Amino acid sequence: MLKEKYYQAFAVYVGSNIVLAAAAATLCAYIAPAAAGSGIPEVKAYLNGIDAYSILAPSTLFVKIFGSIFAVAGGFVVGKEGPMVHTGACIASLLGQGGSRKYRLTWKWLRYFKNDRDRRDLITCGAGAGVAAAFRAPVGGVLFALEEAASWWRSALLWRTFFTTAVVAVVLRGFMEFCRGGKCGLFGEGGLIMFEIHTENSAYGTPDLIAIILLGVIGGVLGSLYNYLVDKVLRTYSIINERGPGSKLILVVGVSILTTCVSFGLPWFSQCLPCPSDLDDQCPTVGRSGNYKNFQCPPGHYNDLASLFFNTNDDAIRSLLTSASDKHFQLSSLFIFFGAIYCLGIITYGIAVPSGLFIPVILAGASYGRIIGRLFGSVATLDVSLYALLGAASFLGGTMRMTVSLCVILLELTNNLLMLPLLMLVLLISKSVADIFNKGVYDQIVKMKGLPFMEAHAEPFMRQLVAGGVASGPLITFSGIEKVDNIIHALKTTNHNGFPVIDELPSSDSSELCGLVLRSHLLVLLKEKKFTKKKVSIRSEILRHFKAHDFAKAGSGKGVKLEDLNFNEEEMEMFVDLHPVTNTSPYTVVESMSLAKAAILFHALGLRHLLVVPKTPGRPPIAGILTRHDFMPEHILGLYPHLNPHK
């Protein structure tokens, strides 16, 4: 560029970006497809009780870290913040399942965490740690885990997450001290406060409040439109991605070339500005990340649009959050940059690379915030840098629909507590406006991926139904002492995870509900072949043979599989006593109970199965089982289409 060999410069730029993009896509497409995207919707779904395949596997962790590095370095309009949350959750999951046998990383002391609740708590802490590390915002990390990630919260989890994020802050500070003076590249730029805003005047008047309300409304409208377009693009990409890893790779390279052309081509439309005379920084910036890029300008001049595109994401945000007295942007440059980032952010999210939404949204929001600040400049008293911050807040509120955590994260990012009332106002307005049109971006992605996410509240039409009306059938039950052949047949022909156990009463023809047995526990029991030739109970022998941790939840890819079990004809005719592994106190509801009440109970207790018992005597002791899928609005409206509120 300095020697005016522009075509060669473009060739080097596009070539290096394609190599980095292809590296990220190859990792994602061939090693861990679950690592694509931000990862926050998947973590949110896991913490709601959905254990989707390999979303927290060690291979996903590896690809998330290196794929994110390649994607950000490859010039994509993506952030590292979403992947950091997923990375934190993956590390927590690895600890929570006692390590990984496949990769020979196991620690015996970690087996104490091998239960659902402790693993869920660890992953909540991991998600909070990811935000704390990405934004250097420890309190924001705790509030993010509380507001966005976790579906169940309790006081013990609060201080555990707080402790985790405090450790993150201390470790970050330690590394920054070690890396002082540029030993570790750009790591630690800006210290613990990433985007500190220096302004003499934080007072505001009526014109400022009008501009801020307008910012909130614009943020809500643009945010809901962003979510709508992201949803459409993701649905289109999913058709392409289903064709295989090769199609994913071609799509990533195509988006990479488009992004490169946009970021290299648009600065040519921007005028050259003379370097400010009273500047401490070098101008124009040569050979490093900086805010005064020469691009095609003559000596002593800089291109403000190139200074935004050809910069690290963090430095671009710092430029936009710089006060008007220190940095001047042309209105045309801000409009072009906003349009480019808005559109590129939409088409980049959904390709097979790890990609966060925070950074594109902050960049786009800060751009139009600065534009509003310039337009109101003659009557407003607030500096344009503060308008840029409020613009970023409004767009974040409009896309992600978080309030408290975003407010605290932005305060910790900028160290400007005087902006607290205005940030609260703009976040509430943008969220309220955007909620009129659609849901938050992460909720939309969870729904689009078909994950059965359970809300804390019941849908209004559920009040018109009873629990017995949606319990899925036909019901498969076992006797307390069951034939091995019957169990194997039931496990092979269904994918149910829980089976009711029924005991015949010796004195009469009736039977009673003994409890519920899980598929995973049945497989462990069958593997050890503790069978009897006659239908007799051997409870004490089974209890002596097994330890509690034999039935602990297996890690991803581990555990007993049905295909691994082999039985001869004689063993198939034998009996197995299910009483020792049966949960004899399962949660039950009567079949006439309101479905809305059953749904609230199911979510509040974090259940996987809810047994429905008959209201009248003389019938079989169980009428059905309610699982998460039975509470999904799509399933219920499929059974009762006349209840659909949209028809």
Side-chain angles (χ1 to χ4, degrees):
M1 289 299 288
L2 293 171
K3 293 178 182 174
E4 299 188 6
K5 295 180 178 177
Y6 300 129
Y7 291 110
Q8 285 160 279
F10 177 69
V12 170
Y13 183 44
V14 76
S16 59
N17 278 0
I18 286 173
V19 169
L20 288 163
T26 304
L27 286 173
C28 256
Y30 291 96
I31 299 175
S38 116
I40 293 175
E42 288 85 349
V43 172
K44 188 174 175 175
Y46 182 91
L47 293 174
N48 188 257
I50 305 160
D51 197 355
Y53 178 71
S54 80
I55 56 168
L56 300 172
S59 58
T60 307
L61 171 64
F62 170 79
V63 172
K64 203 78 189 186
I65 293 169
F66 290 98
S68 182
I69 292 168
F70 291 137
V72 173
F76 285 117
V77 182
V78 297
K80 62 184 184 301
E81 283 68 19
M84 287 283 280
V85 173
H86 197 176
T87 301
C90 286
I91 294 167
S93 173
L94 196 63
L95 296 173
Q97 65 184 37
S100 169
R101 278 186 210 156
K102 185 178 175 183
Y103 300 102
R104 308 236 172 122
L105 294 166
T106 50
W107 302 277
K108 276 195 172 176
W109 60 272
L110 286 172
R111 70 173 181 269
Y112 298 112
F113 297 114
K114 283 185 77 170
N115 60 74
D116 278 333
R117 192 167 89 164
D118 278 344
R119 196 190 293 190
R120 194 174 70 211
D121 285 2
L122 276 170
I123 289 165
T124 306
C125 293
V131 171
F135 292 115
R136 302 171 203 170
V139 181
V142 176
L143 293 172
F144 175 85
L146 164 61
E147 186 177 3
E148 185 65 12
S151 291
W152 293 278
W153 195 263
R154 55 187 208 283
S155 55
L157 190 54
L158 182 68
W159 74 259
R160 286 174 186 172
T161 315
F162 187 63
F163 173 77
T164 311
T165 57
V167 171
V168 169
V170 171
V171 171
L172 267 176
R173 184 63 190 263
F175 275 116
M176 280 174 193
E177 288 296 321
F178 174 75
C179 292
R180 187 173 280 176
K183 289 182 198 168
C184 316
L186 295 170
F187 174 73
E189 287 276 317
L192 272 179
I193 311 297
M194 283 176 80
F195 310 129
E196 191 158 7
I197 295 179
H198 300 285
T199 51
E200 288 82 40
N201 183 20
S202 291
Y204 46 88
T206 308
D208 293 299
L209 285 173
I210 293 167
I212 287 159
I213 290 167
L214 178 65
L215 262 181
V217 173
I218 291 172
V221 172
L222 287 175
S224 56
L225 177 64
Y226 193 85
N227 291 3
Y228 173 78
L229 294 172
V230 162
D231 188 58
K232 294 296 175 201
V233 168
L234 281 173
R235 289 179 192 280
T236 309
Y237 284 175
S238 64
I239 298 165
I240 300 168
N241 290 339
E242 279 168 8
R243 294 179 181 175
S247 301
K248 292 181 181 179
L249 193 58
I250 292 165
L251 180 62
V252 170
V253 171
V255 172
S256 173
I257 293 168
L258 176 65
T259 307
T260 307
C261 292
V262 168
S263 61
F264 191 87
L266 289 179
W268 293 92
F269 297 103
S270 182
Q271 293 176 342
C272 294
L273 299 173
C275 287
S277 54
D278 56 339
L279 196 66
D280 299 332
D281 201 2
Q282 179 190 352
C283 178
T285 310
V286 178
R288 63 185 177 84
S289 175
N291 299 329
Y292 298 95
K293 292 287 180 188
N294 185 247
F295 204 63
Q296 89 290 17
C297 294
H301 290 69
Y302 73 98
N303 184 321
D304 58 345
L305 194 51
S307 303
L308 289 171
F309 276 118
F310 289 89
N311 217 336
T312 64
N313 291 332
D314 289 354
D315 277 342
I317 293 169
R318 277 191 200 101
S319 291
L320 289 167
L321 297 182
T322 306
S323 70
S325 57
D326 295 332
K327 180 85 185 189
H328 179 71
F329 286 104
Q330 298 170 95
L331 269 177
S332 58
S333 298
L334 289 171
F335 272 113
I336 293 169
F337 185 68
F338 166 70
I341 293 294
Y342 191 88
C343 298
L344 287 174
I346 290 165
I347 63 163
T348 307
Y349 194 82
I351 59 174
V353 296
S355 51
L357 275 173
F358 271 100
I359 290 292
V361 167
I362 291 174
L363 279 170
S367 304
Y368 75 70
R370 203 169 173 104
I371 291 168
I372 296 287
R374 286 280 295 279
L375 295 176
F376 277 80
S378 56
V379 290
T381 50
L382 281 177
D383 190 83
V384 287
S385 61
L386 299 177
Y387 275 106
L389 171 64
L390 292 166
S394 72
F395 199 22
L396 282 166
T399 50
M400 297 176 187
R401 315 293 159 86
M402 293 182 276
T403 47
V404 184
S405 52
L406 278 180
C407 187
V408 173
I409 287 169
L410 288 167
L411 288 176
E412 289 185 279
L413 276 175
T414 57
N415 195 27
N416 199 325
L417 204 57
L418 294 169
M419 295 302 291
L420 177 61
L422 299 181
L423 277 173
M424 291 167 75
L425 177 67
V426 83
L427 281 166
L428 286 168
I429 292 170
S430 62
K431 176 184 161 52
S432 304
V433 169
D435 278 340
I436 297 167
F437 300 104
N438 52 24
K439 285 188 164 187
V441 66
Y442 298 134
D443 295 321
Q444 279 193 344
I445 293 166
V446 165
K447 189 177 179 184
M448 199 209 76
K449 291 194 170 202
L451 299 169
F453 190 88
M454 271 209 83
E455 300 288 352
H457 60 273
E459 296 290 338
F461 58 79
M462 290 184 183
R463 297 188 195 120
Q464 302 172 44
L465 299 170
V466 292
V470 297
S472 49
L475 201 60
I476 293 170
T477 61
F478 292 139
S479 300
I481 300 167
E482 186 58 84
K483 204 176 187 182
V484 174
D485 186 29
N486 293 347
I487 297 174
I488 297 292
H489 177 73
L491 294 177
K492 276 183 179 171
T493 54
T494 70
N495 56 4
H496 299 327
N497 278 295
F499 300 90
V501 176
I502 291 171
D503 274 337
E504 305 290 333
L505 294 174
S507 54
S508 65
D509 294 337
S510 60
S511 53
E512 67 174 7
L513 179 66
C514 173
L516 184 81
V517 65
L518 295 179
R519 172 184 281 263
S520 58
H521 293 180
L522 284 172
L523 290 170
V524 173
L525 192 63
L526 291 171
K527 186 186 175 188
E528 295 301 315
K529 298 189 176 182
K530 289 287 169 188
F531 306 149
T532 55
K533 289 188 176 179
K534 292 183 179 176
K535 206 170 180 178
V536 291
S537 176
I538 51 165
R539 180 193 292 262
S540 54
E541 188 184 330
I542 290 173
L543 289 172
R544 274 200 308 275
H545 182 80
F546 289 102
K547 301 281 185 296
H549 61 77
D550 293 332
F551 296 99
K553 184 174 179 180
S556 49
K558 293 190 284 215
V560 184
K561 293 183 175 63
L562 187 60
E563 302 81 56
D564 302 336
L565 302 179
N566 292 307
F567 302 106
N568 56 38
E569 282 185 28
E570 187 186 353
E571 287 171 335
M572 292 291 261
E573 293 301 315
M574 294 172 94
F575 294 91
V576 60
D577 188 359
L578 301 182
H579 291 110
V581 294
T582 300
N583 172 13
T584 54
S585 55
Y587 286 96
T588 60
V589 293
V590 71
E591 62 184 348
S592 58
M593 184 182 193
S594 158
L595 186 63
K597 282 186 180 178
I600 292 164
L601 177 76
F602 191 93
H603 179 273
L605 296 171
L607 302 180
R608 188 173 187 176
H609 304 98
L610 184 61
L611 306 190
V612 182
V613 295
K615 188 177 181 182
T616 52
R619 291 168 56 194
I622 181 158
I625 291 188
L626 289 171
T627 63
R628 178 180 288 266
H629 288 278
D630 298 313
F631 291 107
M632 291 296 109
E634 299 80 19
H635 169 74
I636 298 166
L637 295 173
L639 295 173
Y640 302 96
H642 64 280
L643 294 175
N644 194 336
H646 302 298
K647 281 193 176 179

